[in-house]
Structure formats: C-alpha cells, structure tokens
Amino acid sequence: MISADFIRGYVDLLVLESLLDQPSYGYAISKRIEELSRGQYEMKETTLYSAVRRLEKTGAVTSFQGTHSQGRARTYYRLTEFGRRFYDEKCEEWRQTVALVGRFVRDPH
Amino acid sequence: MDAITTYVDHIFRSLPPTAEVARARSELLQMSEDRYRELLAEGVSEHEAVGRVITQFGNLDELADDLGIRSELDRAGRPDAPIDLSHGEAERYLAVRRRGAWLVSGGVLVILLGIAQLVLFSDGAGSDPHPLSLVAFFVAIAGAVAGFIVAGASMSRYDRLKDKELRLEPQVAAAYREQREREQTSFVVKIAAGVAVIILSVAIPATLDTMYPDSEPVTNLAVAAMLVAIGLAVALLIEAGLRRGALDRLTAEGDYAPEKRASNSLTGRIAGPYWIVAAAVFLAWSFIGNAWDRSWLVWPVAGVLFAAVAVGIESFTPKERSDGGR
C-alpha cells in the first residue's frame, strides 16, 4: 500500500488519466483509479471530488449532465485542451522527479 | 441505501446550505451509492457494503478550502461551536421551558395566595395571625419553593445550550420565527395587563380605606384582594416572559442574539428568589417588629417594583435580529 501522503501531489494526474479516452463520472473515475492501483492505493471519495472540483475551477475539465448505461443521471467530466496539456506537464514533472530521486537511490548490496 | 444517505447527511448536516456544499453533497452521495450498488451486485452483504463505502468516503477536511467551509469545520468541536437541534429536541426544550414557566408563576401565585389568606383571617389590628392560617401560609411557601426547585432542575437539563449558538433546520427555524411573530401581540398584552393590574391592585386597599376608614374586615378583605390580584398579575408576567424567552432562544432573537445571551429571561429567573425574599422581609417585619397591621405594605411595594423590573427587562433589551455572528 502506497501512502496517500506520497500520492498527494499526483492525485490530479491520476484523475486526468481516467478522462484521457472519454468523459467519465465520479464512481467510474474512482473505479478506474482503483483498477490501475491494483490494491496499492485507495483514493477516498472526498479526495477525488476535491481534485475534480479543483480541476474544473482551473479549466482542466468541464462538467455536463449525462446518463450512463443504466439510465441514471450523472455529472460527467470531460478533459479540455488545457487539461490535456496540464496532464502532459504533470507526466513530465513526474519523470523528472523519478530521475532526480533515482540519482539518490543506490542498489542494495 | 438509506444507511448511505443517512451517513452522508450526517457528514454534511452542520455545513451552511450553499450551492457549492449542495453540489459536493450530491456528487459524493452519488459516488457512494454507485459503489454501494456495485458491492451488492458483487454479492457483498449490505452490512459489509455500508462499512466499505464509509471507509472509502474520506474526510471533509480535504474539501474545506474548496467548499469555502474552512471556518465552519474549524469551529466544530470548539467550545463555541453551534449546537444542532433537531425538531424533536426543540419541541422538548419548549415543553420543558413552558412547564418551568407554569411552575415558577404558579409558585409565586401560591405564595401570594398564602399571604392573602393570612391577612384575611387575622383577627384585628396589630394582633398575631391565626395559627391555622400561619400553618397554611408555610405550606404554601414550602409548595412554591418545591415548585421553583423542580422548575430549576428540569430547566437546567438544558444548561448545555447556554451561551451556544443553536442551529435548527431552516424550515423549523422559520416556523418558530413565525410563531414568535404571531405571539408578539399576546406577549405585549400580557406584559401590559400584568403591570396595569399590579398598579391598580395597590389602589384597592387605598380606596376602600378611604371609604370605610375604621372597618377592620373591609381593610383585610381589600388587602387580600390586592394580594390575589398581584399574584395573578405576577404569574402572568413570568409566564409571558419565560414563554417568550424560550422562543427567543430557539430563534436566536432578542436577548439571545449571541452577544446578548447572558442576560436572557431574567424575569423568569429572578421571580422565584425575588418573591421568597419578599416573603422573608414580610415575615421578619411582621414577627420581629410585631407589625401585622402594616407589614402587608411589603406586597404592593414588591409588586410595583417587580412590574418595573419586568417591564424594564422585556422592553429595554435590544430585539433586533442577529445573523448569529457569521
């Protein structure tokens, strides 16, 4: 299990990734993150909502009312162009972080 | 599903009903319900599903800044945090306060009735009161004191509400404000009638004394009548004051506006001790000074003084609305 503290700076990246291919709604995003985490990380609902709301305010995602397969109304979130660029920036930031920290990580002897 | 709604409602209940909060509530509720449904579909038991949904829910603290509810969250748990009162609790509070009002005002009435019969059955000018009458008087005082104690004890159950801001569901609060508005006229009439009766009652012995200068029975009857009138008027003042005080408390108006909480419903709180002290003065003067012919003067003086205090409290405390300091 990876601690929530460690992931904190990358919650936005996880959420944006779930929206890359198609618009999605709250629980579906949550499930997507759960699947890719393979039990190593669990995002709380409040963390997810807080991230989505923040991304909406900065213009990275837009929301619209839609109905999913079982006919229930859901708030869907769609990635904007700015959101895509923001995702790319976050990925680049992550690669640099990995490279940076990697320089300090020695193989065990 | 009800368990999930109840849980989410509970999490959100102390937050202000802004659009941002409402949206967060509905989104989070939707997510939790979706998760719950899926868990059930996977064959998880209801109990287990509720538990997992709640574990995964998280903490509102994360949302505080996004929702603009930081100040509300930070206040929760602090001594000045507002108390949430359900409709049922508010009704019980009103019922206890009203019973307290009847006990206090009834107690004061009983004290004054006890004195009235003491005066009525005394034999002649300057003579000691009839022994049986004296016994009845002390029984009345004892009964009244018991009433004051019961009233004080039952009302002190709500001491935890003291100095706190109360928060009711919006429609419940609106209903109480409406009720307070409706009772405004009867409140003013009760206070005015109470004061008028006290002042007029003092005139009874004075007038009859002039008409029948030397008639002892007439004087006694007049004083007794005055005491009964004062008793009824004082009971009316206390009842009106306490009743209004309870409603003010629930609607946070008048002297219950947070900055004014300390000085509330003084009429009700001082009434018991006030009239017991008056009874003590009366007894001391009567027995020690052997002044049974004059000591009844304590009562008109006490009555008018009480009326002055009651009117002062009810009319000179600010009644303007307060938004609860938010």
Side-chain angles (χ1 to χ4, degrees), chain B:
Chain B
M1 199 63 75
D2 283 350
I4 305 290
T5 316
T6 309
Y7 176 73
V8 175
D9 280 344
H10 177 80
I11 297 279
F12 276 90
R13 66 176 184 156
S14 61
L15 298 180
T18 63
E20 191 68 46
V21 169
R23 184 176 158 180
R25 184 192 162 279
S26 109
E27 281 289 281
L28 286 165
L29 180 61
Q30 235 166 47
M31 274 193 251
S32 298
E33 284 180 350
D34 285 348
R35 181 178 304 281
Y36 180 73
R37 248 184 238 114
E38 182 136 320
L39 285 168
L40 288 190
E42 283 168 15
V44 174
S45 76
E46 277 183 37
H47 188 72
E48 168 82 16
V50 170
R52 295 218 333 230
V53 166
I54 289 174
T55 325
Q56 183 111 31
F57 188 84
N59 190 334
L60 271 197
D61 205 49
E62 283 185 278
L63 290 171
D65 295 318
D66 294 322
L67 300 189
I69 53 165
R70 174 58 67 196
S71 59
E72 272 79 9
L73 272 191
D74 288 350
R75 272 179 84 190
R78 288 228 313 266
D80 68 338
I83 293 182
D84 288 292
L85 219 58
S86 72
H87 190 194
E89 284 172 319
E91 281 295 305
R92 276 196 296 283
Y93 171 75
L94 273 188
V96 166
R97 291 297 299 252
R98 279 185 184 152
R99 208 184 57 200
W102 282 112
L103 281 170
V104 172
S105 53
V108 170
L109 181 59
V110 164
I111 290 180
L112 288 169
L113 287 179
I115 293 155
Q117 59 86 25
L118 197 63
V119 172
L120 193 60
F121 297 124
S122 67
D123 299 329
S127 70
D128 285 352
H130 193 279
L132 267 182
S133 183
L134 206 55
V135 168
F137 169 69
F138 282 112
V139 168
I141 299 262
V145 170
F148 295 153
I149 291 171
V150 170
S154 66
M155 288 196 278
S156 71
R157 260 175 39 203
Y158 288 95
D159 272 358
R160 70 188 174 92
L161 304 185
K162 232 164 59 185
D163 304 332
K164 295 282 178 76
E165 183 187 332
L166 296 185
R167 202 148 45 191
L168 295 163
E169 292 157 47
Q171 65 271 32
V172 176
Y176 284 133
R177 266 195 292 279
E178 208 175 284
Q179 185 181 354
R180 185 181 180 275
E181 213 50 47
R182 273 202 313 274
E183 289 183 6
Q184 173 71 21
T185 314
S186 82
F187 169 71
V188 172
V189 167
K190 278 180 191 170
I191 296 289
V195 173
V197 167
I198 287 177
I199 291 168
L200 288 179
S201 68
V202 176
I204 301 175
T207 314
L208 289 184
D209 228 23
T210 328
M211 288 164 68
Y212 309 94
D214 291 316
S215 168
E216 185 66 28
V218 170
T219 307
N220 283 355
L221 193 65
V223 171
M226 174 197 75
L227 289 169
V228 171
I230 291 180
L232 288 171
V234 166
L236 194 65
L237 288 178
I238 296 168
E239 205 272 330
L242 277 177
R243 189 186 177 87
R244 165 52 65 99
L247 270 182
D248 279 354
R249 185 72 191 89
L250 288 178
T251 55
E253 285 187 30
D255 19 85
Y256 275 110
E259 61 278 9
K260 278 268 159 203
R261 280 172 214 141
S263 65
N264 73 78
S265 79
L266 273 172
T267 319
R269 265 192 280 142
I270 61 170
Y274 179 91
W275 290 100
I276 292 175
V277 166
V281 169
F282 169 74
L283 288 179
W285 190 11
S286 305
F287 278 114
I288 299 167
N290 195 21
W292 292 96
D293 57 330
R294 279 162 293 146
S295 57
W296 59 267
L297 281 168
V298 166
W299 301 107
V301 172
V304 171
L305 203 60
F306 187 81
V309 171
V311 169
I313 289 169
E314 301 302 340
S315 45
F316 290 116
T317 40
K319 292 279 192 246
E320 65 264 31
R321 286 284 306 278
S322 161
D323 64 356
R326 258 176 244 150

Side-chain angles (χ1 to χ4, degrees), chain A residues 25-27 30-31 34 42-50 53 56-57 63 72-75 77, chain B residues 20 23-24 27-28 30-32 34-35 37-38 53 55-60 62-63 66-67:
Chain A
Y25 61 94
Y27 179 59
S30 173
K31 222 167 68 173
E34 210 174 300
E42 186 179 77
M43 188 181 287
K44 305 284 190 195
E45 318 283 28
T46 49
T47 313
L48 173 58
Y49 178 73
S50 150
R53 192 74 188 101
E56 191 179 4
K57 279 179 183 162
S63 65
R72 290 192 203 93
R74 290 288 176 273
T75 308
Y77 298 93
Chain B
E20 191 68 46
R23 184 176 158 180
E27 281 289 281
L28 286 165
Q30 235 166 47
M31 274 193 251
S32 298
D34 285 348
R35 181 178 304 281
R37 248 184 238 114
E38 182 136 320
V53 166
T55 325
Q56 183 111 31
F57 188 84
N59 190 334
L60 271 197
E62 283 185 278
L63 290 171
D66 294 322
L67 300 189

Side-chain angles (χ1 to χ4, degrees), chain A residues 3-67:
Chain A
S3 90
D5 278 340
F6 185 75
I7 302 293
R8 182 149 300 138
Y10 291 91
V11 165
D12 288 357
L13 188 148
L14 270 55
V15 172
L16 290 170
E17 193 279 336
S18 312
L19 299 173
L20 279 181
D21 301 328
Q22 76 279 317
S24 186
Y25 61 94
Y27 179 59
I29 300 173
S30 173
K31 222 167 68 173
R32 163 87 184 166
I33 293 170
E34 210 174 300
E35 274 164 24
L36 287 186
S37 303
R38 297 192 198 121
Q40 284 186 291
Y41 168 69
E42 186 179 77
M43 188 181 287
K44 305 284 190 195
E45 318 283 28
T46 49
T47 313
L48 173 58
Y49 178 73
S50 150
V52 169
R53 192 74 188 101
R54 202 169 47 240
L55 288 167
E56 191 179 4
K57 279 179 183 162
T58 59
V61 305
T62 54
S63 65
F64 64 95
Q65 291 303 314
T67 40

